[in-house]
């Protein structure tokens, strides 16, 4: 019973302190007999033209109280903008927010100087109470300017998520449309961004993009248009050598465009055999044609067409051991 009574007293004293503080604030006066401004008691609601922010600080001396009040005021503006620094925040976003806060702080200190467009210190109020100084600052921010800053920072802070989601969404959309060759680069880009990202569900996003890429690759069939051709030495072939690429989806077979291929052939140079390569994309009908230069040596010549995804897959190897087995499987 004694413990309960003491607890009740504690609550009563605490509530009494709050009421007393409110009465002092509501009825007190500042320097020169100035009444407490209404904005000190309650922050003004935004109007058609402006948003309002209030910061307060308590310290032994006024300059220190002003510093605390200005930081509180800036914190209110940043909270309104709706961004928060975390371990996942990019260096660009951190730097942009730090710069913006520094400009706001300079504006508060200089008061009349237009450092941040659309923002001003509309009023201030100082209370001397016993050995302490309380400083209140009222900030006024042009509505259009502040909403523009809010959108700017949301765009900056969204960049890390977009680095994964934007190419992934585009790749999946192209995949659904049956445009496999165009989908692959976006799927690989999304996977590469996901494996080095700290965003939520990054590993799931990596697996989804690479899984669709594997579906595309596994569905491909490559058919040569001619298996063998004979030509005289140093004579141009009568027509290009070619292959055609197909994919099968839900039992339907269709040509695949925009797939990268590497063509490898040999050539005699300075009495030495050298390997030459050429790179090209499959056309709208799935054909890849290569004009073989006149052969300058006798004997067999092999022309190899190889699906060339090396440059797309290689960045996936930068994700470390965690993803290596899945990259190997994809490759």
């Amino acid at each position: 019973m004694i413990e309960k009574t003491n607890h009740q007293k504690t609550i009563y004293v605490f509530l009494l302190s709050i009421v007393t503080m409110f009465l002092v604030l509501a009825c007190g006066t500042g320097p020169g007999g100035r009444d407490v401004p209404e904005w000190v008691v309650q922050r003004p609601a935004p109007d058609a033209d402006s948003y309002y922010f209030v910061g307060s600080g308590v310290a032994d001396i006024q300059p220190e109280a002003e510093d605390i009040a200005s930081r509180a005021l800036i914190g209110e503006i940043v909270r309104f903008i709706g961004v928060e620094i975390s371990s996942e925040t990019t260096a660009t976003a951190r730097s942009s927010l730090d710069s913006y806060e520094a400009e706001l702080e300079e504006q508060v200190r200089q008061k009349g100087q237009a450092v941040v467009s659309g923002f001003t210190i509309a009023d201030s109020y100082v209370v001397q109470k016993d050995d302490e100084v309380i400083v209140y600052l009222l900030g006024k921010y042009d509505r259009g300017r502040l909403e523009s800053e809010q959108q700017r920072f949301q765009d900056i802070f969204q960049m890390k998520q977009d680095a994964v989601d934007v190419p992934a969404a585009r790749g999946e959309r192209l995949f659904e449309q049956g445009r496999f060759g165009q989908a692959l680069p976006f799927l690989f880009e999304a996977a590469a961004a996901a494996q080095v990202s700290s965003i939520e569900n990054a590993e799931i996003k990596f697996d989804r993009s690479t899984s669709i890429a594997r579906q595309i690759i596994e569905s491909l069939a490559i058919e040569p248009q001619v298996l063998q051709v004979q030509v005289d030495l140093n004579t141009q072939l009568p027509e290009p050598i070619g292959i055609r690429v197909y994919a099968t989806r839900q039992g339907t077979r269709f040509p695949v465009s925009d797939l990268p291929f590497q063509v490898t052939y040999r050539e005699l140079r300075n009495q030495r055999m050298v390997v030459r390569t050429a790179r090209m994309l499959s056309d709208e009908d799935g054909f890849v044609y290569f004009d073989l230069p006149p052969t300058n040596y006798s004997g067999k010549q092999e022309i190899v067409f190889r699906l060339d995804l090396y440059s797309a897959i290689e960045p996936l190897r930068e994700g470390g051991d965690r993803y290596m087995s899945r990259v190997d499987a994809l490759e």
Side-chain angles (χ1 to χ4, degrees), residues 209-235:
S209 292
T210 54
S211 174
I212 296 174
R214 285 186 64 175
Q215 289 181 53
I216 291 174
I217 296 168
E218 289 171 352
S219 74
L220 298 178
I222 301 172
E223 296 180 351
Q225 297 303 289
V226 61
L227 293 177
Q228 183 174 314
V229 64
Q230 187 171 330
V231 66
D232 294 334
L233 191 66
N234 295 318
T235 302

Side-chain angles (χ1 to χ4, degrees), residues 303-323:
I303 296 91
V304 179
F305 290 76
R306 180 180 289 108
L307 184 62
D308 185 15
L309 297 177
Y310 175 81
S311 59
I313 293 178
E314 189 61 20
L316 301 182
R317 296 197 168 276
E318 298 177 5
D321 295 340
R322 179 181 177 186
Y323 295 92

Side-chain angles (χ1 to χ4, degrees), residues 3-262:
E3 290 181 0
K4 182 177 180 181
T5 303
N6 289 340
H7 182 59
Q8 290 175 336
K9 285 181 179 179
T10 302
I11 294 175
Y12 173 77
V13 171
F14 177 70
L15 292 175
L16 182 61
S17 298
I18 293 177
V19 173
T20 303
M21 181 178 68
F22 175 78
L23 291 175
V24 170
L25 189 62
C27 304
T29 58
R34 180 188 177 189
D35 291 337
V36 177
E38 189 174 333
W39 59 264
V40 171
V41 179
Q42 183 174 358
R43 188 177 77 177
D47 54 37
D49 300 318
S50 305
Y51 287 97
Y52 299 91
F53 301 91
V54 176
S56 62
V58 182
D60 296 334
I61 57 176
Q62 185 167 330
E64 186 176 338
E66 288 178 351
D67 285 342
I68 297 171
S70 67
R71 288 196 295 271
L73 177 65
I74 293 167
E76 287 296 316
I77 295 172
V78 172
R79 277 190 287 276
F80 174 87
I81 288 175
V83 296
E84 184 177 347
I85 294 292
S86 69
S87 59
E88 299 180 4
T89 306
T90 64
T92 299
R94 288 172 185 268
S95 175
S96 298
L97 185 58
D98 288 346
S99 176
Y100 179 67
E101 289 181 336
E103 290 173 352
L104 284 173
E105 186 174 354
E106 182 67 16
Q107 178 87 353
V108 173
R109 292 181 185 279
Q110 299 296 328
K111 293 185 172 61
Q113 185 176 344
V115 179
V116 178
S117 179
F119 175 68
T120 58
I121 296 298
D123 198 3
S124 62
Y125 183 70
V126 181
V127 178
Q128 182 73 50
K129 183 180 179 182
D130 299 328
D131 296 330
E132 292 182 330
V133 180
I134 307 175
V135 174
Y136 298 89
L137 296 175
L138 173 65
K140 181 180 179 181
Y141 214 132
D142 177 82
R143 191 183 191 101
R145 297 283 187 180
L146 182 57
E147 289 174 352
S148 177
E149 290 289 358
Q150 184 182 46
Q151 185 61 55
R152 179 172 74 90
F153 277 105
Q154 287 177 356
D155 290 345
I156 293 173
F157 275 69
Q158 183 67 21
M159 284 173 63
K160 191 168 189 177
Q161 185 78 34
D162 286 350
V164 178
D165 289 349
V166 170
R170 190 167 182 183
E172 290 182 32
R173 185 166 59 250
L174 290 167
F175 170 69
E176 293 300 328
Q177 295 170 355
R179 297 159 68 184
F180 288 0
Q182 295 178 39
L184 280 175
F186 291 107
L187 294 170
F188 286 128
E189 180 185 345
Q195 69 176 0
V196 296
S197 175
S198 55
I199 63 172
E200 187 177 359
N201 297 328
E203 190 167 353
I204 294 174
K205 292 175 184 293
F206 173 88
D207 285 340
R208 178 170 178 79
S209 292
T210 54
S211 174
I212 296 174
R214 285 186 64 175
Q215 289 181 53
I216 291 174
I217 296 168
E218 289 171 352
S219 74
L220 298 178
I222 301 172
E223 296 180 351
Q225 297 303 289
V226 61
L227 293 177
Q228 183 174 314
V229 64
Q230 187 171 330
V231 66
D232 294 334
L233 191 66
N234 295 318
T235 302
Q236 182 75 42
L237 289 176
E239 58 184 22
I241 296 173
I243 60 169
R244 195 175 193 188
V245 192
Y246 296 94
T248 302
R249 186 180 190 185
Q250 296 177 348
T252 302
R253 193 183 193 204
F254 56 92
V256 181
S257 64
D258 298 301
L259 279 173
F261 278 85
Q262 181 187 82

